[in-house]
Amino acid sequence: MKEELLAPISKRDVEKAYDLVIVGSGIAGLIAAYYAPKKSKIALFSKDALQESNTYYAQGGIAVALNPDDSPELHYKDTISVGAGFNEEKIVKIVVEEGIERVKDLIKMGIKFDKNNGLSFTREAAHSRRRIIHAHGDATGCEVATVLIEIIKQRDNIDIYENHMLLDILSNENKAYGATFLDVKTKKIKIFLSKYLILATGGAGQIYLHTTNPLTATGDGIAAAYRAGARVMDLEFYQFHPTSLDIDLTQRFLISEAVRGEGAYLLNSYGERFMLNYHPLAELAPRDIVTRAIFLEMLETQNKIYLDLRPIGERKIKERFPTIYKKCLEYGIDITRELVPVSPAAHYFMGGVETDEFGRTSLKNLYACGEVACTGLHGANRLASNSLLEGLVFGKRCIDAISNDNPSENNLNLKEFTLIKKEYPLEKIKEKMLHLKNVMWEKVGIMRDEENLNKAKDTIEKFLEEFQNIFINDKTFFEFKNMLLVSYLIVNSALLRKESRGSHFRIDYPTSKDEWKKHIIWEKEKEVIYCEINSLPSFKKNC
Ligand code: SIN
């Protein structure tokens, strides 16, 4: 599919040149900034305030095999088993082993994880051990992000640009050399040149009607990388978290899986513990299984599903889950006494920009880490709390790679690019965005089939056509275009994968098939690329 740049380019808009541009202020971007050489001139960009990332809101914690009864081998086994036989095994090994050192680094930086005679470990779904470290009970991401941001702010060699939305990655002859940003406050389009770029822009949960992700998660990084010519893969695998607070809210609030790890039950509207009918691990079955079970129970009973936290006990609830306790109380639910209505919501994108084991993408000088990247760690379904660990490991690995790679000499050829500027009511864009989110939720969500996927594809194609070659200088418009592109790639991947595996469930192809043990990879203006699992990266193999 041909996709031009999102915004026009003019030489007049060049602002500054850096050694390294990092886009994104979640754990992966912050860690990259932390390990980046202090002699390099670095720019760190975030679309909103630095805090506004999925990392900041992460409740559960970080999975790491540091408990005396645990081992990297067990962590590896659990990750592979949940990933539905689709993980890149080499990457899993790297993350579970190296993650231990990276977590120790976090502790040395001053991040305070909860303790109980040593580190306190909780359990989450499909972990065979208590393995999840956490901070302030259920505010792990907030502690990690806050400490890292404080450290980064003190670095003289790092310029921080908040409220700057990534528009495009500039590339020439398969080499990235800069990026354009929208200064959200002034609406100025700015170009920053750089020897290297690290994409750490996070996920795309906002393409779905219901999501636990913040408003910033509109798939900007994946869309920009694709437009620049980088390969993207595994886009049919989107994880839906089973338990977001199901009350009338525009933004879904997550009820951490850790509450089930500490003993909370799921009940249907008859008060029955239905998970026992779906999987021997019941509430702690892999996340995709719990999500589908809730979805089916909701359909069957035509009613709500509830979490019962009372078995945990009042004192422990308040101690371990203070954020969830307070938030629910704000909405009139006392979780120490009352049942909590929950339902699934889009939570984590397993797919993303294809990288090698050092975060290199198929474009020279462009690296990716965190949720925007697809290293193959998660396979078809992510093991809970493995994503902060991945961001930690790969944020540093990108810097290691950059220290070893020579920047490809860029034939800096900043070509002017024009687009027709249109006046278009923003309200109309917002209506279309909501339409897209509904279509993605209903037709490309937890359960999929050919007919509905094709209907979604038709809608998306119509929108893409309507807005082709048009440019409205507004963040909402740029986000909408990114959401359309990412949705288009998801739908096409989901149509191609004629099997069910992990989070991708096809009602018309309900089983997994060995012949489908291959990644679906897209590159602009090319036919689909297939690559067998455990043979990535595809771009070093001429496939
Ligand atoms: C949670 O706290 O349930 C989320 C953890 C995760 O998604 O890894």
Side-chain angles (χ1 to χ4, degrees), residues 9-15 188-189 191 414 416:
I9 303 180
S10 159
K11 288 190 173 120
R12 285 191 315 269
D13 297 333
V14 174
E15 287 276 318
K188 189 170 179 319
I189 293 174
I191 298 176
L414 203 142
E416 302 268 321

Side-chain angles (χ1 to χ4, degrees), residues 59-61 124 239 241 254-258 287 347 382-387:
Q59 296 175 0
E124 283 182 355
Q239 182 171 75
H241 196 289
L254 178 75
I255 310 286
S256 175
E257 200 158 77
R287 197 171 274 184
H347 185 61
R382 182 181 60 105
L383 182 67
S385 290
N386 262 358
S387 40

Side-chain angles (χ1 to χ4, degrees), residues 32 198 358-359 367-369 393-403:
I198 297 181
F358 279 98
Y367 301 75
C369 51
V393 169
F394 276 89
K396 170 147 189 321
R397 278 189 156 242
C398 284
I399 296 298
D400 293 345
I402 288 171
S403 311

